[in-house]
Amino acid sequence: MSNNNSSSWVQRFFEEIPRSKGPVLDLACGSGRHTRLLLTAGYDVWAVDRDADSLSELEKIGANCLHIDLEEDGFKWPFASEQFAGIIVTNYLHRPLMPSILSSLADNGVLIYETFATGNENYGRPRNPD
């Protein structure tokens, strides 16, 4: 399944997500390029972002949308009781979330994580090496 807007990394691996294990979480989904890819492929998708405007468009096409700021003070992981067949995160890194993300992944679930590497600051964001 191809989608010109979605990451080639996500395109390469998303079909490994087991459909029988529950929904897929698209964390910090932005405009929803991966939510759209997954919905088109028949997955149940939970799209999370701090931008409510982009979420309203995704809700219209069938995503379960949650308006959440993942970095606000006092943030508590809202998915502690959930298990996802897959979790997709691209172009976003907030290290304190990693244990929570992993704990919400179902047995044999698939985590697809594409983020920044050392040296990326030479080309743009993020500039902070931490």
Side-chain angles (χ1 to χ4, degrees), residues 116-130:
F116 309 101
T118 301
N120 199 85
E121 66 278 2
N122 295 321
Y123 304 99
R125 294 184 58 186
R127 296 194 188 288
N128 182 340
D130 294 334

PDB file of all heavy atoms in Angstrom, residues 116-130:
ATOM      1  N   PHE A 116      14.751  11.758  15.091  1.00  0.00           N
ATOM      2  CA  PHE A 116      15.951  12.480  14.710  1.00  0.00           C
ATOM      3  C   PHE A 116      17.206  11.769  15.203  1.00  0.00           C
ATOM      4  O   PHE A 116      17.169  11.031  16.179  1.00  0.00           O
ATOM      5  CB  PHE A 116      15.892  13.890  15.291  1.00  0.00           C
ATOM      6  CG  PHE A 116      14.610  14.590  14.965  1.00  0.00           C
ATOM      7  CD1 PHE A 116      13.594  14.689  15.903  1.00  0.00           C
ATOM      8  CD2 PHE A 116      14.392  15.116  13.705  1.00  0.00           C
ATOM      9  CE1 PHE A 116      12.406  15.320  15.602  1.00  0.00           C
ATOM     10  CE2 PHE A 116      13.200  15.750  13.390  1.00  0.00           C
ATOM     11  CZ  PHE A 116      12.209  15.850  14.342  1.00  0.00           C
ATOM     12  N   ALA A 117      18.322  12.031  14.543  1.00  0.00           N
ATOM     13  CA  ALA A 117      19.593  11.438  14.914  1.00  0.00           C
ATOM     14  C   ALA A 117      20.621  12.535  15.145  1.00  0.00           C
ATOM     15  O   ALA A 117      20.451  13.683  14.714  1.00  0.00           O
ATOM     16  CB  ALA A 117      20.070  10.505  13.807  1.00  0.00           C
ATOM     17  N   THR A 118      21.702  12.166  15.801  1.00  0.00           N
ATOM     18  CA  THR A 118      22.801  13.094  16.003  1.00  0.00           C
ATOM     19  C   THR A 118      23.245  13.631  14.648  1.00  0.00           C
ATOM     20  O   THR A 118      23.403  12.872  13.699  1.00  0.00           O
ATOM     21  CB  THR A 118      23.976  12.384  16.702  1.00  0.00           C
ATOM     22  OG1 THR A 118      23.505  11.878  17.954  1.00  0.00           O
ATOM     23  CG2 THR A 118      25.129  13.338  16.942  1.00  0.00           C
ATOM     24  N   GLY A 119      23.422  14.927  14.566  1.00  0.00           N
ATOM     25  CA  GLY A 119      23.803  15.575  13.319  1.00  0.00           C
ATOM     26  C   GLY A 119      22.639  16.257  12.632  1.00  0.00           C
ATOM     27  O   GLY A 119      22.834  17.094  11.756  1.00  0.00           O
ATOM     28  N   ASN A 120      21.412  15.907  13.027  1.00  0.00           N
ATOM     29  CA  ASN A 120      20.226  16.505  12.418  1.00  0.00           C
ATOM     30  C   ASN A 120      20.187  18.018  12.633  1.00  0.00           C
ATOM     31  O   ASN A 120      19.664  18.755  11.805  1.00  0.00           O
ATOM     32  CB  ASN A 120      18.960  15.871  12.985  1.00  0.00           C
ATOM     33  CG  ASN A 120      17.774  16.104  12.089  1.00  0.00           C
ATOM     34  OD1 ASN A 120      17.569  15.356  11.150  1.00  0.00           O
ATOM     35  ND2 ASN A 120      17.011  17.149  12.350  1.00  0.00           N
ATOM     36  N   GLU A 121      20.783  18.481  13.744  1.00  0.00           N
ATOM     37  CA  GLU A 121      20.774  19.913  14.035  1.00  0.00           C
ATOM     38  C   GLU A 121      21.475  20.737  12.951  1.00  0.00           C
ATOM     39  O   GLU A 121      21.243  21.936  12.813  1.00  0.00           O
ATOM     40  CB  GLU A 121      21.403  20.184  15.415  1.00  0.00           C
ATOM     41  CG  GLU A 121      22.875  19.877  15.514  1.00  0.00           C
ATOM     42  CD  GLU A 121      23.200  18.402  15.756  1.00  0.00           C
ATOM     43  OE1 GLU A 121      22.281  17.560  15.822  1.00  0.00           O
ATOM     44  OE2 GLU A 121      24.394  18.088  15.862  1.00  0.00           O
ATOM     45  N   ASN A 122      22.310  20.092  12.157  1.00  0.00           N
ATOM     46  CA  ASN A 122      22.974  20.775  11.049  1.00  0.00           C
ATOM     47  C   ASN A 122      22.017  21.106   9.907  1.00  0.00           C
ATOM     48  O   ASN A 122      22.320  21.922   9.051  1.00  0.00           O
ATOM     49  CB  ASN A 122      24.113  19.922  10.494  1.00  0.00           C
ATOM     50  CG  ASN A 122      25.218  19.734  11.498  1.00  0.00           C
ATOM     51  OD1 ASN A 122      25.570  20.648  12.239  1.00  0.00           O
ATOM     52  ND2 ASN A 122      25.753  18.533  11.545  1.00  0.00           N
ATOM     53  N   TYR A 123      20.855  20.447   9.886  1.00  0.00           N
ATOM     54  CA  TYR A 123      19.905  20.600   8.794  1.00  0.00           C
ATOM     55  C   TYR A 123      18.583  21.235   9.192  1.00  0.00           C
ATOM     56  O   TYR A 123      17.761  21.515   8.343  1.00  0.00           O
ATOM     57  CB  TYR A 123      19.628  19.229   8.160  1.00  0.00           C
ATOM     58  CG  TYR A 123      20.902  18.568   7.705  1.00  0.00           C
ATOM     59  CD1 TYR A 123      21.511  17.601   8.495  1.00  0.00           C
ATOM     60  CD2 TYR A 123      21.509  18.935   6.512  1.00  0.00           C
ATOM     61  CE1 TYR A 123      22.683  16.997   8.087  1.00  0.00           C
ATOM     62  CE2 TYR A 123      22.689  18.337   6.108  1.00  0.00           C
ATOM     63  CZ  TYR A 123      23.273  17.375   6.893  1.00  0.00           C
ATOM     64  OH  TYR A 123      24.442  16.800   6.502  1.00  0.00           O
ATOM     65  N   GLY A 124      18.358  21.380  10.477  1.00  0.00           N
ATOM     66  CA  GLY A 124      17.084  21.935  10.926  1.00  0.00           C
ATOM     67  C   GLY A 124      16.766  21.472  12.328  1.00  0.00           C
ATOM     68  O   GLY A 124      17.654  21.204  13.127  1.00  0.00           O
ATOM     69  N   ARG A 125      15.479  21.354  12.606  1.00  0.00           N
ATOM     70  CA  ARG A 125      15.033  20.966  13.936  1.00  0.00           C
ATOM     71  C   ARG A 125      15.160  19.463  14.135  1.00  0.00           C
ATOM     72  O   ARG A 125      15.033  18.729  13.177  1.00  0.00           O
ATOM     73  CB  ARG A 125      13.592  21.398  14.130  1.00  0.00           C
ATOM     74  CG  ARG A 125      13.473  22.917  14.127  1.00  0.00           C
ATOM     75  CD  ARG A 125      12.097  23.349  14.404  1.00  0.00           C
ATOM     76  NE  ARG A 125      11.717  22.799  15.712  1.00  0.00           N
ATOM     77  CZ  ARG A 125      10.527  22.882  16.237  1.00  0.00           C
ATOM     78  NH1 ARG A 125       9.574  23.466  15.588  1.00  0.00           N
ATOM     79  NH2 ARG A 125      10.258  22.367  17.398  1.00  0.00           N
ATOM     80  N   PRO A 126      15.357  19.002  15.357  1.00  0.00           N
ATOM     81  CA  PRO A 126      15.610  19.808  16.542  1.00  0.00           C
ATOM     82  C   PRO A 126      17.071  20.237  16.616  1.00  0.00           C
ATOM     83  O   PRO A 126      17.956  19.518  16.172  1.00  0.00           O
ATOM     84  CB  PRO A 126      15.275  18.854  17.687  1.00  0.00           C
ATOM     85  CG  PRO A 126      15.612  17.522  17.158  1.00  0.00           C
ATOM     86  CD  PRO A 126      15.289  17.592  15.675  1.00  0.00           C
ATOM     87  N   ARG A 127      17.293  21.388  17.181  1.00  0.00           N
ATOM     88  CA  ARG A 127      18.641  21.906  17.318  1.00  0.00           C
ATOM     89  C   ARG A 127      19.295  21.462  18.630  1.00  0.00           C
ATOM     90  O   ARG A 127      20.490  21.454  18.770  1.00  0.00           O
ATOM     91  CB  ARG A 127      18.633  23.419  17.226  1.00  0.00           C
ATOM     92  CG  ARG A 127      18.163  23.889  15.860  1.00  0.00           C
ATOM     93  CD  ARG A 127      18.471  25.358  15.639  1.00  0.00           C
ATOM     94  NE  ARG A 127      17.866  25.854  14.420  1.00  0.00           N
ATOM     95  CZ  ARG A 127      18.259  25.554  13.200  1.00  0.00           C
ATOM     96  NH1 ARG A 127      19.249  24.735  13.002  1.00  0.00           N
ATOM     97  NH2 ARG A 127      17.663  26.069  12.157  1.00  0.00           N
ATOM     98  N   ASN A 128      18.483  21.114  19.601  1.00  0.00           N
ATOM     99  CA  ASN A 128      18.971  20.696  20.902  1.00  0.00           C
ATOM    100  C   ASN A 128      19.443  19.231  20.820  1.00  0.00           C
ATOM    101  O   ASN A 128      18.650  18.352  20.514  1.00  0.00           O
ATOM    102  CB  ASN A 128      17.850  20.825  21.938  1.00  0.00           C
ATOM    103  CG  ASN A 128      18.275  20.455  23.327  1.00  0.00           C
ATOM    104  OD1 ASN A 128      19.263  19.765  23.542  1.00  0.00           O
ATOM    105  ND2 ASN A 128      17.511  20.915  24.295  1.00  0.00           N
ATOM    106  N   PRO A 129      20.720  18.959  21.112  1.00  0.00           N
ATOM    107  CA  PRO A 129      21.217  17.594  21.004  1.00  0.00           C
ATOM    108  C   PRO A 129      20.619  16.646  22.043  1.00  0.00           C
ATOM    109  O   PRO A 129      20.717  15.428  21.909  1.00  0.00           O
ATOM    110  CB  PRO A 129      22.717  17.742  21.209  1.00  0.00           C
ATOM    111  CG  PRO A 129      22.885  18.999  21.967  1.00  0.00           C
ATOM    112  CD  PRO A 129      21.763  19.895  21.529  1.00  0.00           C
ATOM    113  N   ASP A 130      19.964  17.181  23.064  1.00  0.00           N
ATOM    114  CA  ASP A 130      19.333  16.329  24.065  1.00  0.00           C
ATOM    115  C   ASP A 130      18.052  15.750  23.541  1.00  0.00           C
ATOM    116  O   ASP A 130      17.479  14.844  24.051  1.00  0.00           O
ATOM    117  CB  ASP A 130      19.047  17.104  25.358  1.00  0.00           C
ATOM    118  CG  ASP A 130      20.345  17.521  26.047  1.00  0.00           C
ATOM    119  OD1 ASP A 130      21.370  16.849  25.839  1.00  0.00           O
ATOM    120  OD2 ASP A 130      20.305  18.525  26.773  1.00  0.00           O
TER     121      ASP A 130
END
